């Protein structure tokens, strides 16, 4: 397993990457011509998560090691976690107290094939989970929509940070919305959830479903004319301070989001009370409950990378939980939807998610996802 350790200098905002497994030091991400100036090469203004440079390892032993993927978005999420820990716990605000360990996952290594083809669960979490279990890191920061519905033995996920905007962003250089794209236009996405909903509403469009890579890579491909449009999670663009690239934002009714989209989850070992205590101080309970409802829905459907599934739980103005769920055939010819309303409490919300999943399973019937 190749790991890179990112030691953050908390007093100066800089950072260093050092190899933790013999691999070469690398920085991911490609700028676009139309990105903000601070994202372009040679810009003096730093990214929000600090400059990255090769350097010798620090000699101090970190009090807490954060495991993460190495994409710019994953690093931004790791730094958001680090900053919240520093703000809540003075001992973690000392220089060198927190290290960020970058771990390359299976999903990051295999970019030539659609996610559905390399299949399985945990494509973006498996190696990070292994590092956590083995004691190479103390906590693991994940995009919750990448986390399988089961957790590995000896780990718990007690913390969700406050959720970002769950909606999808439409990005195009030639049209202001999906509806304005001419027939035959190609939309790039690696998500079968997005693909099925696009084709269901706009069957005249084409979808390139192996549109892989981090946010910067996908925007570069769009800029080069590989596709005419793409959809990205608005949450990721916000965390990267790249919302200037958004052409328009799709409503929940237009594009139901992925289960747990916009939520960050933080795991630790089940026997590590100190880390569990740290994470408890960061947990946003409203987000955790919503994510639990959505994941109960996904678990009931036994969703995989080959199953277009969407689900979203939110709190209405009266404090109740509103859940919307969707399953679709991969080609988008059939879309089944359902909704639930109930109290905003853990047991009730998990039951709502499960019940909605059972309903759609029953309505879909055998062979639905094979069409």
């Amino acid at each position: 397993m190749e790991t890179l350790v990112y030691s953050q200098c908390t007093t100066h905002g800089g950072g260093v990457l050092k190899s933790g497994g013999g691999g070469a030091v690398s920085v991911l991400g490609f700028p676009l011509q139309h990105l903000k100036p601070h994202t372009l090469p040679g810009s003096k203004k730093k990214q929000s998560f600090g400059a990255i440079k090769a350097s010798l390892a620090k000699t101090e032993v970190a009090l807490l090691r954060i495991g993460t993927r190495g994409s710019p978005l994953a690093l931004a999420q790791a730094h958001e976690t680090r900053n919240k820990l520093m703000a809540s716990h003075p001992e973690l605000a000392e220089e060198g107290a927190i290290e960020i360990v970058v771990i390359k996952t299976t999903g990051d290594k295999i970019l030539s094939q659609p996610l559905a083809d390399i299949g399985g669960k945990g494509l973006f979490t498996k190696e990070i989970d292994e590092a956590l279990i083995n004691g190479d890191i103390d906590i693991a920061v994940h995009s919750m929509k990448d986390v399988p519905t089961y957790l590995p033995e000896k780990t718990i996920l007690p913390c969700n940070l406050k959720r970002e905007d769950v909606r999808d962003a439409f990005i195009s250089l030639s049209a202001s919305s999906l509806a304005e794209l001419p027939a035959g236009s190609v939309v790039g996405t690696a998500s079968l959830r997005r693909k099925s909903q696009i084709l269901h509403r706009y069957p005249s469009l084409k979808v390139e479903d192996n549109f892989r890579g981090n946010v910067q890579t996908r925007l570069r491909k769009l800029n080069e004319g590989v596709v005419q449009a793409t959809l990205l999670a608005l949450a990721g663009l916000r965390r990267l301070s790249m919302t200037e690239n958004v052409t328009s934002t799709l409503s929940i009714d237009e594009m139901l989001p992925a289960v747990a989209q916009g939520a960050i989850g933080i795991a630790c070992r089940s026997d590590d009370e100190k880390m569990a205590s740290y994470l408890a101080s960061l947990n946003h309970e409203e987000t955790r409950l919503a994510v639990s409802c959505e994941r109960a829905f996904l678990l009931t459907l036994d969703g995989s990378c080959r199953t277009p599934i969407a689900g979203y739980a939110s709190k209405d103005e009266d404090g109740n939980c509103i859940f919307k769920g969707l399953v679709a055939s991969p080609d988008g010819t059939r879309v089944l939807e359902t909704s639930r309303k109930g109290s905003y409490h853990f047991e009730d919300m998990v039951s709502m998610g499960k019940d909605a999943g059972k309903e759609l399973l029953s309505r879909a019937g055998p062979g639905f996802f094979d069409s």
Side-chain angles (χ1 to χ4, degrees):
M1 175 179 67
E2 179 183 338
T3 64
L4 300 173
V5 178
Y6 184 103
S7 299
Q8 180 69 23
C9 175
T10 59
T11 54
H12 303 294
V16 298
L17 265 175
K18 63 180 184 287
S19 175
V25 175
S26 63
V27 181
L28 303 179
F30 299 90
L32 260 187
Q33 293 174 9
H34 60 291
L35 295 187
K36 282 183 179 177
H38 73 264
T39 64
L40 296 176
S43 170
K44 294 182 181 179
K45 187 173 180 181
K46 295 177 182 177
Q47 295 274 5
S48 61
F49 46 80
I52 299 176
K53 59 185 178 180
S55 178
L56 295 175
K58 295 165 74 80
T59 55
E60 301 96 325
V61 177
L63 298 177
L64 190 153
R65 296 159 298 168
I66 300 174
T68 177
R69 295 168 61 198
S71 72
L73 177 55
L75 285 173
Q77 294 180 161
H79 280 76
E80 181 179 341
T81 302
R82 182 212 62 174
N83 292 342
K84 289 181 181 298
L85 285 166
M86 288 169 56
S88 301
H89 304 281
E91 71 273 21
L92 298 180
E94 298 293 324
E95 182 177 349
I98 298 178
E99 279 187 335
I100 293 180
V101 182
V102 177
I103 300 167
K104 202 161 190 177
T105 68
T106 302
D108 298 312
K109 295 173 185 175
I110 306 175
L111 295 175
S112 59
Q113 297 171 264
L115 289 172
D117 290 349
I118 55 179
K121 298 177 181 179
L123 290 171
F124 296 109
T125 60
K126 180 175 179 288
E127 287 81 1
I128 300 174
D129 289 334
E130 289 173 351
L132 180 62
I133 293 168
N134 293 337
D136 298 323
I137 57 175
D138 301 302
I139 64 174
V141 177
H142 300 299
S143 292
M144 275 305 300
K145 68 178 184 179
D146 293 336
V147 178
T149 50
Y150 61 86
L151 296 176
E153 280 189 56
K154 302 180 182 179
T155 72
I156 55 173
L157 205 159
C159 174
N160 288 125
L161 300 187
K162 186 176 181 179
R163 198 173 200 171
E164 249 291 2
D165 197 312
V166 303
R167 295 174 296 171
D168 281 327
F170 172 80
I171 305 174
S172 176
L173 304 179
S174 60
S176 62
S177 65
L178 283 167
E180 286 193 11
L181 286 171
S185 297
V186 180
V187 182
T189 179
S191 162
L192 286 185
R193 170 189 66 86
R194 291 182 178 125
K195 176 183 177 180
S196 61
Q197 292 185 75
I198 291 169
L199 292 178
H200 183 69
R201 288 179 175 271
Y202 306 101
S204 65
L205 298 178
K206 297 181 179 178
V207 175
E208 166 53 60
D209 59 9
N210 190 30
F211 201 66
R212 300 281 312 283
N214 61 40
V215 170
Q216 287 83 349
T217 301
R218 297 187 201 195
L219 290 177
R220 174 176 57 76
K221 290 179 180 179
L222 173 67
N223 210 43
E224 293 171 351
V226 176
V227 297
Q228 282 71 62
T230 189
L231 301 185
L232 293 172
L234 184 57
L237 295 169
R238 285 191 168 186
R239 290 186 173 117
L240 289 168
S241 299
M242 292 173 64
T243 53
E244 76 280 5
N245 296 284
V246 177
T247 305
S248 60
T249 302
L250 282 70
S251 70
I252 297 297
D253 292 333
E254 290 177 283
M255 180 65 61
L256 198 62
V259 164
Q261 182 155 306
I264 294 173
I266 313 175
C268 66
R269 288 181 294 277
S270 54
D271 62 354
D272 194 334
E273 294 183 9
K274 185 174 184 180
M275 293 302 146
S277 176
Y278 280 144
L279 297 188
S281 69
L282 304 190
N283 181 57
H284 187 254
E285 188 65 3
E286 182 177 324
T287 297
R288 190 184 75 87
L289 296 185
V291 167
S292 297
C293 176
E294 295 164 21
R295 284 167 59 82
F297 173 71
L298 181 64
L299 176 62
T300 302
L301 289 165
D302 192 27
S304 72
C305 285
R306 292 188 176 278
T307 312
I309 296 172
Y312 176 48
S314 60
K315 183 180 285 188
D316 69 9
E317 57 190 17
D318 297 321
N320 294 311
C321 175
I322 303 296
F323 174 76
K324 295 182 178 182
L326 174 155
V327 295
S329 58
D331 61 6
T333 54
R334 290 184 66 197
V335 172
L336 304 177
E337 300 177 79
T338 190
S339 63
R340 294 289 187 281
K341 182 177 180 178
S343 67
Y344 211 98
H345 295 96
F346 180 79
E347 291 81 5
D348 293 339
M349 293 170 70
V350 168
S351 294
M352 286 165 57
K354 289 180 178 178
D355 188 60
K358 290 176 182 176
E359 179 201 326
L360 292 188
L361 272 180
S362 175
R363 287 169 58 190
F368 177 82
F369 298 110
D370 301 326
S371 59

